Amino acid sequence: MPGIRILLLTPPQPGLVRRRHPQLPVLPAAQLSLRRTPAGALKRGLLPPLGLAYVAAVLEQAGHTVRLLDAPALDLGFPELVDEAQAFGPALIGISAMTPTSLWAFRLAGELKAAMAGVPIVLGGAHAICQPREVLAACSAIDWVATGEGERTAVELAARLGSGRSVAGIPGLAVRGSRGQAELGPPAEPVLDLDTLPFPARRHYPMLSYAPEPYENLRLPATNIIAGRGCTWSRCTFCERAGPMKRPYRIQSPRRVLEEVRGLIRDYGIRELVFYDDDLMSNARWIREFSGLLLSEKIDILWSCRASPNAAVQRDILSLAKRAGLWALFIGFESGDQGLLDRVNKGIRVQRSREVARWCRELDIQVIGSFIIALPGETPAQGLETIAFAQELDCDYAAFIPLHPFPHTPLFREARAEGRIMEDPYDGGMSATRYIPRAAYVPEGYVRRQAVEAMVRRAYRRFYFRPRYLLKHLKRLRSLEDWRRYLDGVKFMFDMVR
């Protein structure tokens, strides 16, 4: 069976300004998706979309010709993407979107369909997985929706298109029926042995144009990596991991991940990794083996990962990981009120959060704390207590996020019945503050959406603009790279609270 031409895209994000610095080496033109990419332009807060890169890799492995364009990284707008699509001549277009970028994905699909009416368009990503029926109802330009992990669905879809067969009934694919209604195929079986997947096809991306937010890294170049899939807990009532995106937990072998790390160092000079796993630190055995490999093979790499302050996190594991290059943990503390945590089934204890934060301070591991504003039952007074709790934990950085119950999760159903879900929380991507998403859920104590958003801005002001906090960070500045990162962080904070 001959392969087909497939174009994979992420939508533009109009109005989202990324800070740049021409401080990295320029990639050879042959390694860039488009030559128009600004030479050496470094965009803070933008990292490669790895899910789409995994899909590209398996499609290429199956013999198809793939082009992958990450519009925000390449500074491509809607007209440029249409031009590129027409020049490439694909038989299938795939777009990936999260909820904040879904409206831009719909617009992109509409413009592509207007220019290339005969080319089918499939939408994938978290938004599509959570709301396949809603997507097909909202955007007539989208023909199909991927409803699970995309690799097997994409390969089967491409095979059927290449042979002229019907796509109806493909596992993990929702199609529009003859009467316009959504028809869902059977669920796609997740890939249980992740070691069998090829590495994500990062060569499609302008790799050295990406960089984490200033608080997410110490050295550049830095990039993201995924070792496992699924969540070890999967019970939080508001999270997609407990709803439409619930999947069994799987993880690549430490040696397989080490092989990928070696490739990143060799091909792109990567000096630091951000693990995007939901809760990598909960897998103590994996962390122990991976850290041991980094130490025994003398791999010079810094890394950070996500963690929940649960019983799996132990001081001796943290100490070993620190020696192997771990410099920061992104920890979901969420709240300092045990009753609020229990109400959403977080599975963590406030005292345990204090203990894990203390271990990190003792081991000189930086803590980036995540806190949720407007949990069910929360009052503004409890919101202020969560801000104080973040200060008490002495987090090096903190993110304060308004609660977003994902569609078809237990909390979403409960909140919708009570009339507490905002139907269009993202309004095209971001609120007037640019970086703070609009409140999607308003508990009784806050009354209005604007009160939740005001509490989020207050949290950032109270946490970051403390003399003690500013002095603590100024003392850490040792190099020009430290100063650049610090100034980026200051700009980021002013954008958050203005």
Side-chain angles (χ1 to χ4, degrees):
M1 183 199 72
I4 64 172
R5 297 170 73 82
I6 302 169
L7 178 63
L8 301 177
L9 303 170
T10 60
Q13 298 181 44
L16 186 58
V17 178
R18 297 290 183 180
R19 292 167 299 288
R20 296 183 178 180
H21 304 278
Q23 63 188 53
L24 291 178
V26 182
L27 275 176
Q31 294 185 35
L32 292 173
S33 294
L34 292 176
R35 290 174 182 264
R36 69 180 64 146
T37 303
L42 175 69
K43 296 188 175 183
R44 281 286 189 188
L46 206 60
L47 289 170
L50 292 184
L52 211 56
Y54 270 109
V55 170
V58 296
L59 287 170
E60 289 174 334
Q61 189 179 65
H64 303 287
T65 301
V66 178
R67 191 166 193 208
L68 199 171
L69 300 177
D70 182 18
L74 295 167
D75 288 322
L76 294 176
F78 296 99
E80 292 88 355
L81 285 174
V82 172
D83 289 345
E84 294 296 333
Q86 291 178 314
F88 181 61
L92 173 66
I93 296 174
I95 303 174
S96 179
M98 297 182 293
T99 297
T101 60
S102 59
L103 297 182
W104 301 128
F106 294 169
R107 175 179 166 183
L108 176 60
E111 297 196 14
L112 289 167
K113 186 66 74 174
M116 308 168 68
V119 181
I121 298 174
V122 58
L123 184 74
H127 187 77
I129 293 172
C130 290
Q131 305 185 76
R133 290 185 174 85
E134 292 87 342
V135 166
L136 289 174
C139 184
S140 61
I142 293 172
D143 300 282
W144 310 313
V145 172
T147 61
E149 293 180 6
E151 289 90 358
R152 288 176 169 169
T153 300
V155 170
E156 178 64 18
L157 176 60
R160 293 204 194 183
L161 289 176
S163 62
R165 291 178 290 155
S166 169
V167 303
I170 291 179
L173 192 71
V175 303
R176 187 176 283 106
S178 58
R179 298 182 180 178
Q181 79 283 9
E183 296 179 356
L184 274 61
E189 288 294 326
V191 178
L192 297 180
D193 184 359
L194 298 182
D195 283 13
T196 63
L197 291 174
F199 293 135
R202 289 184 174 91
R203 67 183 178 281
H204 290 280
Y205 294 136
M207 283 292 290
L208 297 187
S209 289
Y210 295 99
E213 291 290 3
Y215 59 85
E216 289 183 310
N217 81 285
L218 291 181
R219 303 195 308 195
L220 294 172
T223 195
N224 51 336
I225 187 171
I226 299 173
R229 299 184 182 184
C231 177
T232 56
W233 180 247
S234 294
R235 300 173 202 170
C236 303
T237 62
F238 57 85
C239 181
E240 76 274 24
R241 302 297 184 191
M245 292 181 67
K246 187 169 184 176
R247 302 288 185 273
Y249 176 71
R250 299 139 288 152
I251 193 165
Q252 299 176 65
S253 66
R255 284 205 172 272
R256 173 72 170 171
V257 175
L258 185 68
E259 183 183 349
E260 186 174 358
V261 171
R262 287 188 184 279
L264 290 169
I265 295 171
R266 179 190 64 243
D267 297 338
Y268 306 108
I270 295 299
R271 302 170 66 208
E272 181 169 331
L273 300 168
V274 182
F275 279 92
Y276 264 22
D277 300 54
D278 289 325
D279 184 10
L280 186 64
M281 193 54 64
S282 286
N283 194 328
R285 183 173 63 178
W286 193 95
I287 292 290
R288 189 185 298 278
E289 185 176 348
F290 181 67
S291 298
L293 287 171
L294 292 176
L295 290 168
S296 65
E297 302 197 20
K298 296 181 172 57
I299 305 295
D300 180 20
I301 196 82
L302 292 180
W303 54 285
S304 57
C305 68
R306 287 158 171 73
S308 173
N310 55 36
V313 181
Q314 296 296 329
R315 194 184 192 285
D316 63 326
I317 299 294
L318 291 174
S319 178
L320 174 64
K322 168 69 177 179
R323 289 190 286 115
L326 175 71
W327 74 274
L329 285 181
F330 299 78
I331 303 180
F333 298 113
E334 315 307 14
S335 175
D337 187 296
Q338 190 63 55
L340 296 179
L341 292 171
D342 292 343
R343 183 162 174 174
V344 293
N345 201 21
K346 276 302 299 181
I348 58 178
R349 310 297 297 176
V350 170
Q351 191 54 41
R352 178 68 175 174
S353 293
R354 293 189 174 99
E355 188 173 39
V356 171
R358 176 171 54 81
W359 289 341
C360 288
R361 288 196 301 273
E362 293 169 354
L363 295 168
D364 193 27
I365 296 171
Q366 292 193 27
V367 172
I368 298 94
S370 172
F371 300 88
I372 297 176
I373 298 297
L375 285 167
E378 182 179 295
T379 64
Q382 289 170 308
L384 294 175
E385 289 173 5
T386 288
I387 301 169
F389 184 58
Q391 296 173 349
E392 175 197 337
L393 295 177
D394 197 21
C395 296
D396 296 274
Y397 302 94
F400 299 91
I401 304 165
L403 178 66
H404 184 102
F406 279 82
H408 309 298
T409 58
L411 180 57
F412 182 90
R413 291 190 291 269
E414 173 189 328
R416 170 162 280 182
E418 296 173 355
R420 301 196 175 281
I421 289 289
M422 304 294 104
E423 294 300 329
D424 184 20
Y426 284 93
D427 193 20
M430 293 287 165
S431 70
T433 60
R434 275 203 294 166
Y435 289 98
I436 298 176
R438 289 189 183 276
Y441 167 80
V442 181
E444 185 175 356
Y446 281 87
V447 182
R448 298 181 303 136
R449 164 191 283 173
Q450 291 80 0
V452 174
E453 293 164 6
M455 182 63 74
V456 174
R457 289 192 292 274
R458 179 185 292 186
Y460 280 105
R461 287 194 297 267
R462 286 200 174 192
F463 184 85
Y464 283 100
F465 298 121
R466 294 173 287 148
R468 176 183 172 187
Y469 178 85
L470 295 171
L471 181 61
K472 170 183 173 180
H473 281 265
L474 286 171
K475 288 180 178 179
R476 288 179 172 171
L477 302 180
R478 298 285 187 271
S479 65
L480 180 60
E481 189 171 22
D482 288 342
W483 275 102
R484 282 174 172 160
R485 197 162 39 81
Y486 180 76
L487 292 175
D488 273 348
V490 171
K491 293 174 185 176
F492 179 78
M493 279 305 113
F494 277 109
D495 282 338
M496 290 290 288
V497 303
R498 70 181 186 175

